[in-house]
Amino acid sequence: MQKVREVEGRAIPFGAANVDTDIIIPAHWLKTITREGLGRGAFETLREDPDNIFDSDEYAGSPILIAGDNFGCGSSREHAAWALRDLGITAVIAASFSDIFAGNAFKNGIVTVALPQEQIDRLMEVARTDPVSIDLENQVVTTPYQDRFTFEIDAFRKQCLMEGLDEVGLTLARDDAIADYEGRQGANMPWLAHPENHKEERATT
């Protein structure tokens, strides 16, 4: 997982509330066996409108999505986070998030920033013309107009995002401790490390 310390750029002023995971990535995309290419299916039903905001040249490559209340509700499909990442989204700012979606987003290196609706409304206004910046270390969202909105984030998730540690990375970070444990276990319980030898011993006794 890539490290995330600051996310800056144009933000897609989507703004919709109660956006469920079926809107983020329709169910027929769940048959895929790879995460790659899911960005093509992100917000597919909305993108049927030729004037949709997701295919606008103005917001091409935007790393931030601004949404309304209860973003990511509905099913628990992790494909929603995968689709957003493949679309190029590194952070979502919304009034609130589904707990399951927020967890999936975190595991896939997406920063979720919850702010009051009035601050969301202000960022929507700014995003139509100017970039937005998210400083994860200092937990603040800023704009070129001196707007400064602080947000809360779980300390463990913040550390993992800033250090680029997913569940595999967290395990590998404990590699020395794991190796030490396995070494001691092998010495104390050799029948676990080499069961074939002890099968022979049992057979001859």
Side-chain angles (χ1 to χ4, degrees):
M1 190 167 76
Q2 293 184 343
K3 296 179 180 179
V4 183
R5 294 181 176 272
E6 186 174 21
V7 185
E8 183 175 15
R10 293 299 298 274
I12 302 173
F14 181 38
N18 300 312
V19 175
D20 64 29
T21 50
D22 195 53
I23 293 176
I24 298 172
I25 185 72
H28 67 88
W29 284 88
L30 308 189
K31 300 174 184 177
T32 180
I33 58 174
T34 177
R35 304 181 188 190
E36 297 179 2
L38 283 175
R40 297 194 307 272
F43 302 102
E44 182 180 63
T45 55
L46 302 180
R47 292 165 77 179
E48 292 175 356
D49 180 350
D51 296 324
N52 78 87
I53 198 169
F54 297 100
D55 293 320
S56 168
D57 291 340
E58 185 175 2
Y59 300 106
S62 296
I64 302 171
L65 175 68
I66 303 175
D69 188 46
N70 199 28
F71 186 83
C73 57
S75 77
S76 60
R77 66 190 68 167
E78 191 173 3
H79 297 68
W82 297 348
L84 290 175
R85 281 303 310 228
D86 200 57
L87 191 63
I89 300 298
T90 310
V92 180
I93 304 174
S96 68
F97 296 90
S98 157
D99 287 342
I100 295 177
F101 171 82
N104 287 336
F106 154 66
K107 292 177 182 179
N108 288 277
I110 298 175
V111 181
T112 53
V113 176
L115 294 174
Q117 187 60 51
E118 59 268 23
Q119 296 178 4
I120 295 292
D121 294 341
R122 171 58 181 163
L123 291 173
M124 287 280 292
E125 179 183 354
V126 172
R128 293 186 177 95
T129 55
D130 294 276
V132 171
S133 178
I134 301 171
D135 181 343
L136 180 57
E137 182 173 7
N138 295 302
Q139 298 177 212
V140 62
V141 179
T142 58
T143 75
Y145 300 99
Q146 306 307 311
D147 298 295
R148 184 179 179 85
F149 305 134
T150 59
F151 62 92
E152 298 297 321
I153 185 170
D154 176 80
F156 173 73
R157 290 187 176 185
K158 175 181 176 179
Q159 178 186 0
C160 290
L161 288 166
M162 292 185 64
E163 296 181 9
L165 295 174
D166 56 14
E167 292 171 331
V168 173
L170 285 168
T171 302
L172 292 176
R174 304 279 298 174
D175 185 58
D176 290 343
I178 294 170
D180 180 64
Y181 170 79
E182 290 181 339
R184 286 185 283 107
Q185 185 186 50
N188 296 331
M189 294 179 283
W191 58 87
L192 294 178
H194 303 285
E196 66 282 355
N197 296 338
H198 294 276
K199 285 181 181 178
E200 294 176 1
E201 291 176 5
R202 288 194 296 271
T204 57
T205 58

